């Protein structure tokens, strides 16, 4: 896909696969060692609503590229 140029950037996680099984959608991403988003939210370093909106926009963008 056209996401190739983004590989290797520290802030971009590579989506390896995605699928639906038993009416549940799954995304398989590369593992990156470090602090989790959950921990950042718990420590007040990220706002939950802003984070969810950012993830939704990213997933929508990826869908457009894959189609």
């Amino acid at each position: 896909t056209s996401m190739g140029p983004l590989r290797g950037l520290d802030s971009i996680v590579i989506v390896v696969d995605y699928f639906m099984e038993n009416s549940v959608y799954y995304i398989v991403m590369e593992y990156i060692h470090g602090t989790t988003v959950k921990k950042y939210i718990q420590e007040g370093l990220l706002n939950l609503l802003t984070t969810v909106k950012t993830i939704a926009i990213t997933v929508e963008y990826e869908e457009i590229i894959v189609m």
Side-chain angles (χ1 to χ4, degrees), residues 13-63:
V13 177
I14 303 301
V15 175
V16 178
D17 196 11
Y18 56 94
F19 58 94
M20 183 181 78
E21 189 170 310
N22 298 324
S23 300
V24 177
Y25 290 93
Y26 295 90
I27 299 174
V28 181
M29 297 180 284
E30 70 176 328
Y31 176 79
I32 296 179
H33 180 74
T35 305
T36 64
V37 172
K38 180 179 179 179
K39 186 166 182 171
Y40 276 122
I41 291 170
Q42 288 172 338
E43 293 177 357
L45 300 174
L46 283 177
N47 175 281
L48 178 59
L49 183 57
T50 303
T51 303
V52 171
K53 285 180 181 178
T54 302
I55 292 169
I57 290 168
T58 304
V59 169
E60 188 174 292
Y61 177 74
E62 178 67 22
E63 238 177 57

Side-chain angles (χ1 to χ4, degrees), residues 4-16:
L6 300 176
R7 291 185 187 277
L9 296 177
D10 291 340
S11 59
I12 303 294
V13 177
I14 303 301
V15 175
V16 178

